[in-house]
Amino acid sequence: MSILQDFWCTDELALHTFASLPAPDLRNCAQVSRSFNRISVQSVLDQHKIWNAQRSAVLQLADNPNDLDGLSALLLSVHVKSLASVTFNLKRVTSLQLALKSFQKMQRLVDRMASLHTVYVNWPSDAYQNQFISDKMLAAACKCVEEFLDAIISKGCATLQFDGFNAFASKYKLKKTPAITAAEIPRTPTAERLSIWEGARGYLPSRHTRATSDVSSPLSEEGNYSRKPSRFSISTPWISLTPSPKLSQVTKLTTFCADSTGVFRPPFSQWTFALLKASALTSIDLSLQDIPNDGVESKLILDRLAEAIPDVTTIRLYNARSGLMKDFVAWLGRFQQLHFLHIEPACFSAGNEIDGLDLQAAARLPDISRLASSSRFLCAYLASCRIIDGGHLPRTLVLIMRHRWTSSTESAVSAFIKDVERLHNAIVEAPFQCSRLGIDLSFDSRFPDRAKALGCIWNRPDSPGSDAKQVSLETPPCFRPTESGPCLTLVLRITERGDEIQRGVLDKEVMAFCRMFPTLKEISFCPYGPFGPVLPLRKEGFDKLKSICPELYRASLFL
C-alpha cells in the first residue's frame, strides 16, 4: 500500500479532498510524488468528465490560459503516455493569440505521447476570422498549426478529424482562371512567367513564402488561389502551411474526416492534400455544409480530392446543401476501388432531387459491396443497375436504409412502412443478389419517447370507430420469411448508456420497434459517436426480443 493510500485509505477519499483545492495548489501537489501526481491529475479530469484519459479524452480548452483545464492536467501527468482517442475543442477560445498558445500546448502534449490513434480537432474560428491579421501573425499561425499537425502524424495517427479551420478563408480568393482541374492537369511541367514580386519572393527568409515552381502540380496552391491585398500594400506574399518532406515516411493515416471544407482551402489545403496523397487512405468522411458557393471552386476541391485519393474504398457524405448532390454523384464515379458508399438522407433535402440524378456512373462501380442512404436513393440506384451492362454490376450487395425517426404517429409509421416496401420491391427486381438489408434508425429526440408513442399504436385495441385500421401495420413483404430474401438487420442509434440497455431499462421500447420486423435476424445498439468495444446483449433481454422475432440470432451492444 502506498503512503497516499495509507493516509487516505481509499483513492475516492483522496480524489474528493483534492477536488476542493484551488488550481495553484493542485499544480503543486502534482509535483510532490507519482502518487500525488496521479490523484491530482485525475481530480481535474473528473471535473471535466474524463474518466479514462488513455482510452478517450475530450479536452475543452479554456479561453484563459491560466485555467486548469483537461489539457493542462494531462500536461502535468507523468502516467498518461499514450492516447487512443483525443479531442481538442477550441470552441471557447475567442482570440487568435490565445488559439496559437493553445496549439502550442496541444503540441507539447502530443510530443509527450508514445502513440496516438484517433485525433479530432475542432477549431471554430468564426469569432476572429474577419478581423485584421498581419502577415507576421498569419505566418506565425501557419507555422504553429503546421508543427502541431506534423507532430500528430509523426505519432502514428490512424484517424484524423477536422472541424472549423476557417479562420483565414477570407484572406484568400480563387483566381478567375484556376491553373488546375483534374481534367486539365498537365503531364509535363511548363514554364510560367513570374511577376517582379514573385521573382523576388524566393529571397525572403520565411519558410511559408515560396516560389511557384510547381504550379502545374495538382497539389499547387498559388496556381489556383491568391491572397487578397491589404489596404496597406498592393502585393502580398504567399503564406500557407508547408507539408513536411518526410510526410510520406511517417504517415500511418487510414481514415480522414472533414466536418468542414476549410481544410481544403488555403492556407491549410497545401498540407491537407499532401497528407492525403502520401497516406494509404481507405476511408474519408466529408461534411458539405460549408463547401464554397462558387461552382468553380467547389469543383476544384472535388477534382483535387479525386486526384489525391483515387484508391479510397469508403466514402461518407453528410450535410450537403440542396442542389449539390448532382455534381457529387457524378464525382463518385471516379473512385473505381470504392466498396462502401454512405450518403446521409439529409443530403437530399428536396423531395424530387433524387429523381434528377444520373446514377449510372455510380451503378458501374465494379467493387461496390455496401450502400447506405435513404430508401428513395437506394431504389433509384437499383433502377439504374437494371439498365446497364451486367458485366459492371456488383456480385452481391448489402443495402442499408438510413431513416431518421421524427414521429411515431400513424401517418409517419405508415410512410416508413411504405418506404421499406418500396425498397423491398426494388430488391426483388434487382439484377443481382442482395445478401443483407439493414434498417438503420436514428432519432431526433429521446428514444424512449418515440418508442412509447409507437407502443401505444401497437397495443391499442382496434374498435369500429377507430381509424387505426386505415393504417396498415402489417409486416412488409420483404420481412416475411422467404427462401431467397435478404438477411434483415436493425440498428438503433440511441444516446442511452450501455448499462441501461443491459439492465433492461429499455426492453419495452426496443420491443416496440422489433414488432415491425418479425423476421429480424440481427439487432445492434450503437451510439452516435465513434464505436468502442462490442458486447452481446444479456440473455434475459435477448430472450424477450426473440419471443417477438423468432429468427433473431444476434443482439450486439456497441459501447
Side-chain angles (χ1 to χ4, degrees):
M1 182 177 289
S2 67
I3 297 177
L4 184 63
Q5 290 176 320
D6 196 15
F7 182 80
W8 268 289
C9 298
T10 63
D11 282 353
E12 289 76 10
L13 183 58
L15 286 169
H16 182 73
T17 304
F18 276 55
S20 62
L21 296 176
D25 292 341
L26 278 174
R27 294 178 189 272
N28 293 333
C29 288
Q31 303 176 47
V32 173
S33 66
R34 293 182 64 87
S35 298
F36 270 63
N37 180 275
R38 178 175 58 84
I39 297 297
S40 300
V41 170
Q42 190 58 52
S43 66
V44 178
L45 296 180
D46 286 349
Q47 298 174 21
H48 298 278
K49 300 181 179 180
I50 302 173
W51 317 121
N52 187 344
Q54 295 191 83
R55 176 182 172 185
S56 178
V58 179
L59 306 178
Q60 301 282 349
L61 276 65
D63 191 21
N64 186 349
N66 296 322
D67 289 348
L68 191 56
D69 54 15
L71 174 59
S72 301
L74 288 178
L75 285 172
L76 290 172
S77 175
V78 297
H79 299 277
V80 179
K81 298 181 180 180
S82 62
L83 293 171
S85 176
V86 59
T87 296
F88 298 103
N89 195 336
L90 289 83
K91 185 177 181 179
R92 300 175 183 173
V93 182
T94 57
S95 72
L96 180 58
Q97 291 80 2
L98 293 178
L100 299 187
K101 291 182 179 180
S102 297
F103 272 104
Q104 292 170 354
K105 292 175 63 177
M106 290 154 57
Q107 182 185 348
R108 284 168 49 201
L109 176 65
V110 171
D111 286 338
R112 290 177 51 182
M113 296 297 106
S115 63
L116 293 171
H117 184 272
T118 301
V119 179
Y120 172 39
V121 186
N122 181 18
W123 187 20
S125 44
D126 297 337
Y128 48 89
Q129 64 174 339
N130 294 322
Q131 297 178 1
F132 171 75
I133 300 176
S134 65
D135 289 352
K136 182 178 180 181
M137 176 60 73
L138 180 59
C142 288
K143 179 179 180 180
C144 184
V145 176
E146 174 192 314
E147 291 178 346
F148 166 69
L149 296 178
D150 285 343
I152 289 176
I153 300 303
S154 68
K155 295 299 180 178
C157 176
T159 301
L160 184 58
Q161 183 174 358
F162 288 118
D163 194 2
F165 283 80
N166 54 358
F168 314 116
S170 61
K171 313 301 177 185
Y172 298 80
K173 65 178 181 179
L174 186 71
K175 292 182 177 180
K176 293 183 178 180
T177 55
I180 303 297
T181 63
E184 301 173 348
I185 296 178
R187 298 304 176 188
T188 56
T190 57
E192 294 198 8
R193 182 179 179 182
L194 300 179
S195 66
I196 298 177
W197 172 252
E198 290 171 331
R201 189 166 45 190
Y203 296 99
L204 295 178
S206 172
R207 62 180 295 186
H208 298 281
T209 56
R210 46 190 291 276
T212 56
S213 58
D214 59 344
V215 172
S216 56
S217 166
L219 299 178
S220 173
E221 295 299 307
E222 294 175 84
N224 305 300
Y225 291 91
S226 62
R227 283 192 60 208
K228 295 180 180 179
S230 67
R231 47 186 177 175
F232 304 108
S233 62
I234 299 177
S235 299
T236 53
W238 181 260
I239 301 175
S240 69
L241 276 71
T242 303
S244 168
K246 298 181 179 180
L247 203 58
S248 59
Q249 303 173 13
V250 298
T251 179
K252 296 181 180 179
L253 193 70
T254 58
T255 302
F256 185 83
C257 308
D259 292 339
S260 169
T261 57
V263 292
F264 302 124
R265 306 175 70 188
F268 309 108
S269 48
Q270 180 83 4
W271 187 92
T272 301
F273 285 114
L275 172 68
L276 297 180
K277 194 172 183 64
S279 304
L281 209 67
T282 60
S283 176
I284 185 168
D285 294 12
L286 298 176
S287 177
L288 311 173
Q289 58 187 345
D290 61 349
I291 195 165
N293 292 322
D294 186 343
V296 176
E297 185 173 10
S298 62
K299 182 179 183 301
L300 177 65
I301 292 175
L302 295 180
D303 288 344
R304 299 181 72 189
L305 272 172
E307 179 69 18
I309 52 171
D311 300 326
V312 70
T313 58
T314 300
I315 295 179
R316 298 180 180 89
L317 301 179
Y318 305 89
N319 303 325
R321 297 192 305 270
S322 178
L324 285 178
M325 290 310 299
K326 182 178 180 180
D327 294 334
F328 276 95
V329 169
W331 172 72
L332 292 171
R334 297 167 64 176
F335 298 92
Q336 293 298 303
Q337 306 298 323
L338 194 61
H339 290 176
F340 177 32
L341 174 60
H342 176 125
I343 303 179
E344 194 68 18
C347 291
F348 307 103
S349 55
N352 59 352
E353 191 171 346
I354 296 178
D355 298 335
L357 295 179
D358 183 3
L359 296 176
Q360 292 196 29
R364 284 188 168 89
L365 291 172
D367 297 324
I368 192 76
S369 60
R370 191 179 180 94
L371 185 59
S373 190
S374 66
S375 171
R376 193 166 183 175
F377 178 84
L378 297 178
C379 290
Y381 171 83
L382 294 175
S384 297
C385 291
R386 293 197 297 268
I387 61 176
I388 65 173
D389 182 11
H392 294 88
L393 295 175
R395 300 175 185 174
T396 183
L397 187 63
V398 174
L399 294 178
I400 302 174
M401 174 184 165
R402 294 273 293 171
H403 180 81
R404 187 165 180 82
W405 196 278
T406 58
S407 174
S408 294
T409 62
E410 292 183 3
S411 59
V413 174
S414 176
F416 169 71
I417 291 178
K418 288 180 180 178
D419 283 344
V420 180
E421 290 176 337
R422 186 182 303 112
L423 178 57
H424 170 260
N425 295 334
I427 291 174
V428 171
E429 299 173 359
F432 51 82
Q433 180 184 6
C434 177
S435 62
R436 183 181 296 264
L437 173 59
I439 308 296
D440 192 329
L441 300 180
S442 58
F443 300 86
D444 66 333
S445 63
R446 294 186 70 249
F447 167 72
D449 297 336
R450 299 300 183 194
K452 182 178 180 180
L454 179 63
C456 291
I457 296 178
W458 286 115
N459 298 326
R460 183 184 62 188
D462 292 339
S463 60
S466 172
D467 61 349
K469 294 183 178 180
Q470 298 177 6
V471 180
S472 173
L473 294 178
E474 297 294 332
T475 305
C478 63
F479 301 142
R480 296 185 185 279
T482 59
E483 296 181 359
S484 59
C487 175
L488 179 64
T489 65
L490 175 65
V491 176
L492 298 178
R493 298 186 181 273
I494 55 181
T495 58
E496 280 69 24
R497 299 195 309 269
D499 59 338
E500 294 179 331
I501 300 174
Q502 291 287 40
R503 293 200 315 266
V505 176
L506 301 175
D507 281 354
K508 291 184 178 180
E509 289 80 357
V510 175
M511 291 169 66
F513 279 92
C514 288
R515 287 188 65 176
M516 291 190 294
F517 312 109
T519 59
L520 189 67
K521 295 186 178 180
E522 183 176 350
I523 184 172
S524 301
F525 304 91
C526 302
Y528 283 94
F531 295 168
V534 184
L535 298 177
L537 191 67
R538 78 194 198 290
K539 186 178 184 304
E540 295 81 359
F542 179 82
D543 290 340
K544 288 182 180 180
L545 299 181
K546 193 172 179 64
S547 66
I548 297 176
C549 307
E551 300 179 28
L552 188 70
Y553 67 86
R554 182 182 301 163
S556 305
L557 174 64
F558 290 80
L559 301 179

